[in-house]
PDB file of all heavy atoms in Angstrom:
ATOM      1  N   PRO R 801     -11.134   0.548   8.461  1.00  0.00           N
ATOM      2  CA  PRO R 801     -11.846   0.834   7.170  1.00  0.00           C
ATOM      3  C   PRO R 801     -11.610  -0.277   6.210  1.00  0.00           C
ATOM      4  O   PRO R 801     -10.677  -1.075   6.467  1.00  0.00           O
ATOM      5  CB  PRO R 801     -11.139   2.075   6.616  1.00  0.00           C
ATOM      6  CG  PRO R 801      -9.757   2.092   7.452  1.00  0.00           C
ATOM      7  CD  PRO R 801     -10.117   1.441   8.785  1.00  0.00           C
ATOM      8  N   PRO R 802     -12.521  -0.546   5.207  1.00  0.00           N
ATOM      9  CA  PRO R 802     -12.351  -1.725   4.374  1.00  0.00           C
ATOM     10  C   PRO R 802     -11.169  -1.706   3.579  1.00  0.00           C
ATOM     11  O   PRO R 802     -10.582  -0.551   3.383  1.00  0.00           O
ATOM     12  CB  PRO R 802     -13.688  -1.657   3.563  1.00  0.00           C
ATOM     13  CG  PRO R 802     -13.975  -0.130   3.700  1.00  0.00           C
ATOM     14  CD  PRO R 802     -13.603   0.235   4.975  1.00  0.00           C
ATOM     15  N   PRO R 803     -10.702  -2.842   3.170  1.00  0.00           N
ATOM     16  CA  PRO R 803      -9.397  -2.843   2.301  1.00  0.00           C
ATOM     17  C   PRO R 803      -9.659  -2.023   1.076  1.00  0.00           C
ATOM     18  O   PRO R 803     -10.672  -1.927   0.476  1.00  0.00           O
ATOM     19  CB  PRO R 803      -9.305  -4.355   1.930  1.00  0.00           C
ATOM     20  CG  PRO R 803     -10.146  -5.123   2.973  1.00  0.00           C
ATOM     21  CD  PRO R 803     -11.100  -4.257   3.383  1.00  0.00           C
ATOM     22  N   GLN R 804      -8.593  -1.197   0.747  1.00  0.00           N
ATOM     23  CA  GLN R 804      -8.671  -0.323  -0.456  1.00  0.00           C
ATOM     24  C   GLN R 804      -7.492  -0.531  -1.268  1.00  0.00           C
ATOM     25  O   GLN R 804      -6.243  -0.222  -0.677  1.00  0.00           O
ATOM     26  CB  GLN R 804      -8.878   1.109   0.018  1.00  0.00           C
ATOM     27  CG  GLN R 804     -10.174   1.343   0.706  1.00  0.00           C
ATOM     28  CD  GLN R 804     -10.269   2.862   1.181  1.00  0.00           C
ATOM     29  OE1 GLN R 804      -9.629   3.648   0.662  1.00  0.00           O
ATOM     30  NE2 GLN R 804     -11.216   3.085   2.120  1.00  0.00           N
ATOM     31  N   VAL R 805      -7.517  -1.095  -2.442  1.00  0.00           N
ATOM     32  CA  VAL R 805      -6.390  -1.156  -3.391  1.00  0.00           C
ATOM     33  C   VAL R 805      -6.669  -0.502  -4.625  1.00  0.00           C
ATOM     34  O   VAL R 805      -7.216  -1.184  -5.565  1.00  0.00           O
ATOM     35  CB  VAL R 805      -5.988  -2.614  -3.546  1.00  0.00           C
ATOM     36  CG1 VAL R 805      -4.738  -2.809  -4.318  1.00  0.00           C
ATOM     37  CG2 VAL R 805      -5.816  -3.325  -2.101  1.00  0.00           C
ATOM     38  N   PRO R 806      -6.433   0.860  -4.807  1.00  0.00           N
ATOM     39  CA  PRO R 806      -6.624   1.443  -6.083  1.00  0.00           C
ATOM     40  C   PRO R 806      -5.720   0.820  -7.161  1.00  0.00           C
ATOM     41  O   PRO R 806      -4.555   0.433  -6.942  1.00  0.00           O
ATOM     42  CB  PRO R 806      -6.177   2.971  -5.854  1.00  0.00           C
ATOM     43  CG  PRO R 806      -6.353   3.020  -4.330  1.00  0.00           C
ATOM     44  CD  PRO R 806      -5.999   1.686  -3.792  1.00  0.00           C
ATOM     45  N   TYR R 807      -6.364   0.748  -8.381  1.00  0.00           N
ATOM     46  CA  TYR R 807      -5.628   0.101  -9.430  1.00  0.00           C
ATOM     47  C   TYR R 807      -5.784   0.898 -10.739  1.00  0.00           C
ATOM     48  O   TYR R 807      -6.705   1.653 -10.961  1.00  0.00           O
ATOM     49  CB  TYR R 807      -5.866  -1.325  -9.707  1.00  0.00           C
ATOM     50  CG  TYR R 807      -7.390  -1.590 -10.327  1.00  0.00           C
ATOM     51  CD1 TYR R 807      -7.567  -1.610 -11.624  1.00  0.00           C
ATOM     52  CD2 TYR R 807      -8.445  -1.753  -9.527  1.00  0.00           C
ATOM     53  CE1 TYR R 807      -8.790  -1.720 -12.223  1.00  0.00           C
ATOM     54  CE2 TYR R 807      -9.695  -1.954  -9.986  1.00  0.00           C
ATOM     55  CZ  TYR R 807      -9.880  -1.900 -11.336  1.00  0.00           C
ATOM     56  OH  TYR R 807     -11.132  -2.130 -11.860  1.00  0.00           O
ATOM     57  N   GLU R 808      -4.821   0.786 -11.647  1.00  0.00           N
ATOM     58  CA  GLU R 808      -4.936   1.304 -13.010  1.00  0.00           C
ATOM     59  C   GLU R 808      -4.752   0.148 -13.949  1.00  0.00           C
ATOM     60  O   GLU R 808      -3.741  -0.626 -13.904  1.00  0.00           O
ATOM     61  CB  GLU R 808      -3.840   2.345 -13.248  1.00  0.00           C
ATOM     62  CG  GLU R 808      -3.869   3.557 -12.304  1.00  0.00           C
ATOM     63  CD  GLU R 808      -2.614   4.368 -12.075  1.00  0.00           C
ATOM     64  OE1 GLU R 808      -1.543   3.926 -12.646  1.00  0.00           O
ATOM     65  OE2 GLU R 808      -2.662   5.431 -11.571  1.00  0.00           O
ATOM     66  N   TYR R 809      -5.590   0.162 -15.009  1.00  0.00           N
ATOM     67  CA  TYR R 809      -5.609  -0.931 -16.020  1.00  0.00           C
ATOM     68  C   TYR R 809      -5.178  -0.302 -17.389  1.00  0.00           C
ATOM     69  O   TYR R 809      -5.636   0.692 -17.854  1.00  0.00           O
ATOM     70  CB  TYR R 809      -6.863  -1.553 -16.085  1.00  0.00           C
ATOM     71  CG  TYR R 809      -7.000  -2.456 -17.307  1.00  0.00           C
ATOM     72  CD1 TYR R 809      -6.447  -3.750 -17.344  1.00  0.00           C
ATOM     73  CD2 TYR R 809      -7.874  -2.130 -18.470  1.00  0.00           C
ATOM     74  CE1 TYR R 809      -6.591  -4.565 -18.435  1.00  0.00           C
ATOM     75  CE2 TYR R 809      -7.941  -2.991 -19.580  1.00  0.00           C
ATOM     76  CZ  TYR R 809      -7.387  -4.131 -19.524  1.00  0.00           C
ATOM     77  OH  TYR R 809      -7.390  -4.998 -20.635  1.00  0.00           O
ATOM     78  N   TYR R 810      -4.157  -0.957 -17.951  1.00  0.00           N
ATOM     79  CA  TYR R 810      -3.541  -0.488 -19.184  1.00  0.00           C
ATOM     80  C   TYR R 810      -3.703  -1.579 -20.316  1.00  0.00           C
ATOM     81  O   TYR R 810      -3.706  -2.771 -19.957  1.00  0.00           O
ATOM     82  CB  TYR R 810      -2.165  -0.002 -19.028  1.00  0.00           C
ATOM     83  CG  TYR R 810      -1.853   1.055 -18.122  1.00  0.00           C
ATOM     84  CD1 TYR R 810      -1.814   0.745 -16.659  1.00  0.00           C
ATOM     85  CD2 TYR R 810      -1.683   2.387 -18.506  1.00  0.00           C
ATOM     86  CE1 TYR R 810      -1.608   1.747 -15.793  1.00  0.00           C
ATOM     87  CE2 TYR R 810      -1.490   3.367 -17.513  1.00  0.00           C
ATOM     88  CZ  TYR R 810      -1.453   3.036 -16.158  1.00  0.00           C
ATOM     89  OH  TYR R 810      -1.191   4.048 -15.243  1.00  0.00           O
ATOM     90  N   GLU R 811      -3.647  -1.230 -21.511  1.00  0.00           N
ATOM     91  CA  GLU R 811      -3.476  -2.159 -22.622  1.00  0.00           C
ATOM     92  C   GLU R 811      -2.395  -1.796 -23.552  1.00  0.00           C
ATOM     93  O   GLU R 811      -2.093  -0.592 -23.859  1.00  0.00           O
ATOM     94  CB  GLU R 811      -4.719  -2.345 -23.436  1.00  0.00           C
ATOM     95  CG  GLU R 811      -5.794  -2.828 -22.595  1.00  0.00           C
ATOM     96  CD  GLU R 811      -7.185  -2.984 -23.303  1.00  0.00           C
ATOM     97  OE1 GLU R 811      -7.318  -2.379 -24.494  1.00  0.00           O
ATOM     98  OE2 GLU R 811      -8.115  -3.656 -22.873  1.00  0.00           O
ATOM     99  N   GLY R 812      -1.517  -2.774 -23.952  1.00  0.00           N
ATOM    100  CA  GLY R 812      -0.411  -2.438 -24.713  1.00  0.00           C
ATOM    101  C   GLY R 812       0.476  -3.759 -25.098  1.00  0.00           C
ATOM    102  O   GLY R 812       0.144  -4.780 -24.558  1.00  0.00           O
ATOM    103  N   ASP R 813       1.340  -3.611 -25.948  1.00  0.00           N
ATOM    104  CA  ASP R 813       2.348  -4.635 -26.415  1.00  0.00           C
ATOM    105  C   ASP R 813       3.674  -4.424 -25.917  1.00  0.00           C
ATOM    106  O   ASP R 813       4.430  -3.653 -26.472  1.00  0.00           O
ATOM    107  CB  ASP R 813       2.238  -4.779 -27.922  1.00  0.00           C
ATOM    108  CG  ASP R 813       2.972  -5.856 -28.455  1.00  0.00           C
ATOM    109  OD1 ASP R 813       3.577  -6.696 -27.739  1.00  0.00           O
ATOM    110  OD2 ASP R 813       3.038  -6.022 -29.798  1.00  0.00           O
ATOM    111  N   TRP R 814       4.026  -5.153 -24.742  1.00  0.00           N
ATOM    112  CA  TRP R 814       5.266  -4.928 -24.092  1.00  0.00           C
ATOM    113  C   TRP R 814       6.074  -6.317 -23.904  1.00  0.00           C
ATOM    114  O   TRP R 814       5.431  -7.345 -23.828  1.00  0.00           O
ATOM    115  CB  TRP R 814       5.084  -4.262 -22.762  1.00  0.00           C
ATOM    116  CG  TRP R 814       4.199  -3.000 -22.775  1.00  0.00           C
ATOM    117  CD1 TRP R 814       4.510  -1.870 -23.396  1.00  0.00           C
ATOM    118  CD2 TRP R 814       2.974  -2.914 -22.120  1.00  0.00           C
ATOM    119  NE1 TRP R 814       3.419  -0.974 -23.125  1.00  0.00           N
ATOM    120  CE2 TRP R 814       2.484  -1.570 -22.377  1.00  0.00           C
ATOM    121  CE3 TRP R 814       2.045  -3.721 -21.314  1.00  0.00           C
ATOM    122  CZ2 TRP R 814       1.333  -1.103 -21.880  1.00  0.00           C
ATOM    123  CZ3 TRP R 814       0.927  -3.207 -20.837  1.00  0.00           C
ATOM    124  CH2 TRP R 814       0.607  -1.958 -21.088  1.00  0.00           C
ATOM    125  N   SER R 815       7.321  -6.140 -23.738  1.00  0.00           N
ATOM    126  CA  SER R 815       8.183  -7.362 -23.352  1.00  0.00           C
ATOM    127  C   SER R 815       8.843  -7.121 -21.986  1.00  0.00           C
ATOM    128  O   SER R 815       9.452  -8.023 -21.514  1.00  0.00           O
ATOM    129  CB  SER R 815       9.242  -7.564 -24.401  1.00  0.00           C
ATOM    130  OG  SER R 815      10.043  -6.449 -24.530  1.00  0.00           O
ATOM    131  N   VAL R 816       8.708  -5.822 -21.511  1.00  0.00           N
ATOM    132  CA  VAL R 816       9.192  -5.447 -20.099  1.00  0.00           C
ATOM    133  C   VAL R 816       8.123  -4.604 -19.623  1.00  0.00           C
ATOM    134  O   VAL R 816       7.303  -4.034 -20.340  1.00  0.00           O
ATOM    135  CB  VAL R 816      10.532  -4.849 -20.054  1.00  0.00           C
ATOM    136  CG1 VAL R 816      11.609  -5.926 -20.593  1.00  0.00           C
ATOM    137  CG2 VAL R 816      10.625  -3.575 -20.967  1.00  0.00           C
ATOM    138  N   LEU R 817       8.110  -4.436 -18.368  1.00  0.00           N
ATOM    139  CA  LEU R 817       7.206  -3.469 -17.719  1.00  0.00           C
ATOM    140  C   LEU R 817       7.400  -1.988 -18.349  1.00  0.00           C
ATOM    141  O   LEU R 817       8.520  -1.520 -18.375  1.00  0.00           O
ATOM    142  CB  LEU R 817       7.400  -3.278 -16.216  1.00  0.00           C
ATOM    143  CG  LEU R 817       6.705  -4.529 -15.357  1.00  0.00           C
ATOM    144  CD1 LEU R 817       7.362  -4.640 -14.048  1.00  0.00           C
ATOM    145  CD2 LEU R 817       5.230  -4.332 -15.387  1.00  0.00           C
TER     146      LEU R 817
END
Side-chain angles (χ1 to χ4, degrees):
Q804 296 179 17
V805 184
Y807 70 88
E808 301 161 350
Y809 169 74
Y810 301 82
E811 293 180 349
D813 183 0
W814 310 295
S815 58
V816 295
L817 280 162

